[in-house]
C-alpha cells in the first residue's frame, strides 16, 4: 500500500478539482487508502448486501497503480462496471464490483460538497450521506458474521 503523502491528494485536486472534496482529501492525507475499522453505513433502503446498510471494504488511494486517478481507478471502474457517471468511485464493497460507494457531484457541481451515494446492481445512485464527513461519522463497526457473503444462495 502507498504511504501517506501530502502531495498525492493535492495533485489529484490540481488534475480535477471536482473530484476531491476537503473531507475526502483530509481522509486521503491521513490514510491514503486502506481498510477502515468502521465499515458499515446504515441506509434507509435495502441493498444487495443487507436490508439496512451498505458495507465498505476499502478506501481507494490517490496515486500509484491502483489509485482513483490511475489507469484502473475511478474512470475505469465507472466504464468497466457500468456505474453511473456521477462522480468518483471512492470505496470498494465486499461484492467485488457489483456495487460501490461514490462521491456524487450532480447537485453540487464541480466546486461544491458532493453527497455520498451507494450504487447497487440496478446502477441507481442512492444517497447514504449528504457529505463525505457525514458518511464517515455514520460508519459503524461491523458485527460478527457481517464480513461473510450475506446471500441466501449459500
Amino acid at each position: 500500500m502507498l504511504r501517506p503523502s501530502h502531495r498525492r491528494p493535492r495533485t489529484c485536486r490540481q488534475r480535477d478539482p471536482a473530484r476531491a472534496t476537503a473531507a475526502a482529501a483530509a481522509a486521503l492525507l491521513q490514510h491514503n487508502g486502506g481498510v477502515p475499522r468502521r465499515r458499515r453505513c446504515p441506509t434507509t433502503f435495502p441493498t444487495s448486501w443487507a436490508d439496512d446498510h451498505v458495507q465498505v471494504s476499502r478506501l481507494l488511494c490517490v496515486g500509484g497503480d491502483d489509485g482513483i486517478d490511475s489507469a484502473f481507478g475511478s474512470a475505469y471502474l465507472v466504464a468497466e462496471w457500468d456505474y453511473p457517471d456521477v462522480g468518483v468511485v471512492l470505496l470498494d464493497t465486499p461484492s467485488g464490483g457489483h456495487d460501490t460507494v461514490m462521491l456524487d457531484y450532480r447537485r453540487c457541481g464541480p466546486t461544491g460538497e458532493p453527497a455520498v451515494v451507494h450504487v447497487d446492481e440496478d446502477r441507481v445512485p442512492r444517497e447514504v450521506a449528504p457529505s463525505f464527513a457525514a458518511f464517515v461519522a455514520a460508519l459503524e463497526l461491523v458485527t460478527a458474521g457481517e464480513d461473510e457473503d450475506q446471500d441466501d444462495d449459500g
Side-chain angles (χ1 to χ4, degrees):
M1 179 164 21
L2 296 172
R3 296 174 51 155
S5 165
H6 289 283
R7 201 178 91 207
R8 288 186 185 114
R10 190 169 27 255
T11 301
C12 183
R13 284 195 306 267
Q14 288 170 347
R15 286 186 203 150
D16 193 352
R19 301 303 187 218
T21 70
L28 292 172
L29 281 171
Q30 185 173 8
H31 303 287
N32 199 22
V35 177
R37 282 188 210 126
R38 297 179 299 146
R39 299 187 310 274
R40 182 185 197 275
C41 185
T43 61
T44 58
F45 51 85
T47 70
S48 57
W49 186 257
D51 290 336
D52 62 352
H53 70 275
V54 62
Q55 188 166 318
V56 298
S57 56
R58 179 177 70 114
L59 172 68
L60 302 179
C61 65
V62 175
D65 294 337
D66 62 350
I68 61 173
D69 54 342
S70 72
F72 295 105
S74 181
Y76 169 82
L77 294 169
V78 167
E80 177 70 17
W81 287 98
D82 199 28
Y83 298 143
D85 192 10
V86 298
V88 177
V89 175
L90 193 61
L91 291 137
D92 282 338
T93 65
S95 73
H98 298 285
D99 66 329
T100 194
V101 176
M102 301 178 71
L103 297 176
D104 181 351
Y105 288 86
R106 291 176 297 170
R107 277 189 295 205
C108 68
T111 59
E113 184 73 20
V116 176
V117 297
H118 175 249
V119 176
D120 214 330
E121 294 172 344
D122 62 4
R123 298 306 183 243
V124 174
R126 292 176 179 85
E127 186 173 313
V128 294
S131 67
F132 185 73
F135 176 78
V136 170
L139 288 173
E140 303 170 341
L141 291 173
V142 174
T143 59
E146 283 186 322
D147 273 334
E148 300 169 12
D149 188 350
Q150 301 217 341
D151 285 347
D152 292 333
D153 298 337

